[in-house]
């Protein structure tokens, strides 16, 4: 078995969409998320918004990074990968996304 076929499938990421917990408003370039659990507001900038919206349950971190690399060909691919990993980690810490 080669290393490519031995890899563990990537887990997809899903936004937390429970309206009892979160209320979000897409503002175009940003997204505002109100977390009722801690009475906190999160304002995601354009990059974080795009990553958050790509967490639709059908994509993993690699898929999201790949989509952004295709869209932003003038940005260093390594920087995109790093930004996606860090943003997903932060969104997960905040409970805004989860891994399936």
């Amino acid at each position: 078995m080669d290393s490519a076929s031995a890899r563990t499938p990537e887990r997809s990421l899903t936004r937390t969409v429970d309206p009892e917990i979160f209320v979000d408003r897409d503002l175009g370039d940003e997204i505002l998320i109100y977390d009722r659990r801690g009475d906190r507001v999160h304002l995601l900038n354009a990059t974080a918004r795009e990553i958050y919206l790509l967490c639709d349950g059908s994509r993993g971190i690699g898929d999201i990074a790949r989509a952004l690399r295709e869209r932003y060909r003038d940005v260093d691919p390594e920087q995109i990968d790093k930004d996606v990993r860090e943003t997903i980690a932060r969104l997960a810490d905040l409970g805004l996304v989860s891994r399936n």
Side-chain angles (χ1 to χ4, degrees), residues 14-17 22-35 40-55 83-84 86-97:
T14 304
R15 292 184 302 275
T16 304
V17 293
F22 294 105
V23 177
D24 64 24
R25 295 289 178 262
D26 195 339
L27 306 173
D29 288 341
E30 301 171 317
I31 194 163
L32 182 72
I33 303 169
Y34 174 61
D35 181 348
R40 296 188 309 178
V41 174
H42 309 286
L43 181 64
L44 306 184
N45 67 18
T47 304
R49 173 193 173 274
E50 191 164 2
I51 293 168
Y52 174 76
L53 293 175
L54 287 169
C55 295
D83 290 347
V84 168
E86 289 175 356
T87 301
I88 297 261
R90 182 69 177 137
L91 294 172
D93 287 347
L94 295 169
L96 301 176
V97 299

